[in-house]
Amino acid sequence: MAVNMSHWFIFFLLIFEECQASTHWVVTEDGKIQAQLDSPFSLKRPYDLLALMEQEKRAIEVEELKQKLITQKEEIDHRDDKEANVEGKIYATDEDCVAAEKPLTDFDLYASTVVPFPPYKEFGDEFTEYADTMDRDIIFKKPYCYEVVDLDFSMHAFEHLTGVRDRHNLTMTAEVGLHHAVTTVENIGLYGHLVHVFLHKNKTSWILYDMAAYFWRVNGDATNAIECVRRALHFSPREYKDVTLINLGNILHLSHMSEEAAIVVHAAVDIAPNNAICHFTLGNIYAVLADYNKSAICFENAVKIQPDFTNAAQRYHAVICHSKLEKALEAQHTSLQKTLSELREYQKQHKVWSDKNDKLLSEQAPPELKLEQRLEYEEQKIRESLDGRGQDCFQFEQNGHMVLSCNMRRESYTSAQSQNMKREEEDISHNSHKKMTRKYCTK
């Protein structure tokens, strides 16, 4: 029978070989073993070993998740993507933004541009002389170029572009400010009438067709403006086509066909690479297309050709400034997206922690049972005290909860202390007597 019992004992040792004891007592920093009143190991079923083991595993998981959540929260809080005024900071501190004096969005990127005609090709004096002899009561006629020359197709007129091919569907903003840039004639209606008259006298003058296009640009008529530009490109010599190409580029750009406008203005740059207006116009177009690298190059070229071109210099700095700002905002956006993803993950982990913590709490003994256990513990301490009293403990109800209050009795503490001191003195006296006895015996 004893042999069988020993076999069973060894068997149980093998089963619980990997187990670790768990308790709701801890060793404090000063080496004392102290009970934990609100311990997760105070279970509803204190006799259930498996429940205790599961609770221990659960407590470890809850603590690990808690520390992980704290670390993750600190990383999110310390991330530098919460700058409230990135734009204002860059505009105030960046050297290009300061040199630009204002944001790129405050510049007119649809500014009207024209390339001057050759000096000997102007009609200023002829217009003035003819205007002086005109009957003031006549009705002004408009320069409809399709009435002057019928031109179904031209190899020089960029007919492959959608904007040119579908010119009847285009709408553009009226370029009122262009008026005094192209003529000294105060009345724009009179100017159009004069162009009409001279076109019918000279139906192959590319300059007159360009002037007719200016008239339609001032009035915001893209369809008729392109009709006149097509004929100007058809009749103009190559060395002067940059004048007409810039004309067409402006029309397409203001009609929101900026990509096609860039094609046309590039052709103008190829013909007149030393013309600052061509580079300036192309810089505006690329800025609208948000191709800031090309835009900056174009404005820089314009300044190299014409160093006193202040407007181009400012736009150069404004484009670079805007590019930096966009990169900063994109970086902040990416960081914020990452933070958002981490916050979502944090919420998921917090939900897991909350569920596990709720389970941890649900397995604990109810407050009434914990209080009962505490009372039993305090009673045991009283029974084991020196005078049988030790502490004054009493139970009362507060805010709907049962509360246990224990106070150390002074006289009990003093009595116990006196007894301990008396014992120590007796031990010292006894030890001294033994030493003296050994000494005399040795002699």
Side-chain angles (χ1 to χ4, degrees), residues 1-20:
M1 181 69 178
V3 173
N4 291 336
M5 289 296 293
S6 64
H7 286 169
W8 279 108
F9 181 72
I10 294 171
F11 177 73
F12 278 111
L13 284 178
L14 291 173
I15 291 176
F16 297 108
E17 182 177 306
E18 300 297 326
C19 297
Q20 296 181 354

Side-chain angles (χ1 to χ4, degrees), residues 35-77:
Q36 298 299 293
L37 302 182
D38 190 21
S39 168
F41 302 109
S42 295
L43 304 179
K44 295 177 181 176
R45 303 185 303 277
Y47 50 83
D48 192 337
L49 177 60
L50 293 178
L52 177 63
M53 294 170 63
E54 285 296 322
Q55 187 76 340
E56 180 184 21
K57 187 189 302 182
R58 200 176 289 117
I60 293 172
E61 290 178 353
V62 167
E63 183 61 25
E64 289 178 348
L65 276 172
K66 177 183 175 182
Q67 295 303 321
K68 183 179 178 182
L69 288 171
I70 291 173
T71 303
Q72 191 173 4
K73 183 69 165 55
E74 289 176 351
E75 290 177 356
I76 292 172
D77 289 340

Side-chain angles (χ1 to χ4, degrees), residues 101-162:
E101 298 182 359
K102 59 182 179 180
L104 181 64
T105 51
D106 288 349
F107 286 91
D108 182 10
L109 299 178
Y110 290 93
S112 302
T113 58
V114 293
V115 175
F117 295 120
Y120 56 90
K121 294 290 186 179
E122 294 181 352
F123 286 86
D125 294 337
E126 295 180 53
F127 273 23
T128 303
E129 292 174 3
Y130 185 84
D132 291 339
T133 62
M134 281 179 51
D135 182 2
R136 297 299 178 182
D137 295 330
I138 66 170
I139 298 175
F140 295 146
K141 294 183 179 180
K142 297 179 180 179
Y144 291 103
C145 296
Y146 62 86
E147 294 179 349
V148 181
V149 171
D150 186 17
L151 185 67
D152 292 333
F153 180 83
S154 173
M155 291 292 295
H156 307 285
F158 289 80
E159 305 281 0
H160 62 288
L161 297 180
T162 303

Side-chain angles (χ1 to χ4, degrees), residues 52-270:
L52 177 63
M53 294 170 63
E54 285 296 322
Q55 187 76 340
E56 180 184 21
K57 187 189 302 182
R58 200 176 289 117
I60 293 172
E61 290 178 353
V62 167
E63 183 61 25
E64 289 178 348
L65 276 172
K66 177 183 175 182
Q67 295 303 321
K68 183 179 178 182
L69 288 171
I70 291 173
T71 303
Q72 191 173 4
K73 183 69 165 55
E74 289 176 351
E75 290 177 356
I76 292 172
D77 289 340
H78 286 87
R79 183 164 295 134
D80 57 353
D81 55 10
K82 302 172 185 65
E83 177 67 46
N85 191 19
V86 174
E87 187 173 354
K89 184 177 179 181
I90 290 178
Y91 282 139
T93 58
D94 185 82
E95 57 182 8
D96 286 301
C97 297
V98 173
E101 298 182 359
K102 59 182 179 180
L104 181 64
T105 51
D106 288 349
F107 286 91
D108 182 10
L109 299 178
Y110 290 93
S112 302
T113 58
V114 293
V115 175
F117 295 120
Y120 56 90
K121 294 290 186 179
E122 294 181 352
F123 286 86
D125 294 337
E126 295 180 53
F127 273 23
T128 303
E129 292 174 3
Y130 185 84
D132 291 339
T133 62
M134 281 179 51
D135 182 2
R136 297 299 178 182
D137 295 330
I138 66 170
I139 298 175
F140 295 146
K141 294 183 179 180
K142 297 179 180 179
Y144 291 103
C145 296
Y146 62 86
E147 294 179 349
V148 181
V149 171
D150 186 17
L151 185 67
D152 292 333
F153 180 83
S154 173
M155 291 292 295
H156 307 285
F158 289 80
E159 305 281 0
H160 62 288
L161 297 180
T162 303
V164 176
R165 186 175 63 251
D166 299 335
R167 52 191 175 275
H168 299 287
N169 298 324
L170 295 185
T171 56
M172 66 178 289
T173 305
E175 299 180 70
V176 179
L178 184 63
H179 178 183
H180 293 99
V182 297
T183 181
T184 58
V185 179
E186 290 296 327
N187 188 325
I188 192 65
L190 174 59
Y191 171 78
H193 178 79
L194 294 172
V195 172
H196 166 81
V197 171
F198 278 76
L199 262 178
H200 281 273
K201 292 181 179 180
N202 187 354
K203 297 184 179 183
T204 59
S205 172
W206 65 274
I207 292 179
L208 287 171
Y209 284 114
D210 269 316
M211 293 174 72
Y214 293 150
F215 169 82
W216 294 114
R217 283 174 60 185
V218 171
N219 286 279
D221 190 330
T223 302
N224 280 300
I226 290 181
E227 287 289 358
C228 296
V229 165
R230 289 177 64 244
R231 288 157 178 79
L233 286 171
H234 183 76
F235 291 114
S236 62
R238 188 181 187 282
E239 62 268 26
Y240 298 131
K241 284 191 185 296
D242 59 308
V243 177
T244 309
L245 290 171
I246 292 298
N247 204 347
L248 176 59
N250 275 271
I251 297 167
L252 292 172
H253 186 44
L254 285 161
S255 300
H256 303 288
M257 306 288 290
S258 298
E259 292 182 357
E260 295 189 351
I263 295 172
V264 172
V265 178
H266 264 295
V269 171
D270 290 340

Side-chain angles (χ1 to χ4, degrees), residues 374-394 404-409 412:
R374 178 63 177 168
L375 284 169
E376 292 176 356
Y377 169 70
E378 292 298 336
E379 289 175 0
Q380 180 65 24
K381 284 176 63 179
I382 292 171
R383 284 194 294 270
E384 293 176 356
S385 64
L386 294 175
D387 60 353
R389 292 176 296 173
Q391 291 179 338
D392 286 332
C393 296
F394 57 94
L404 177 69
S405 177
C406 296
N407 299 316
M408 178 68 71
R409 288 185 178 178
S412 300

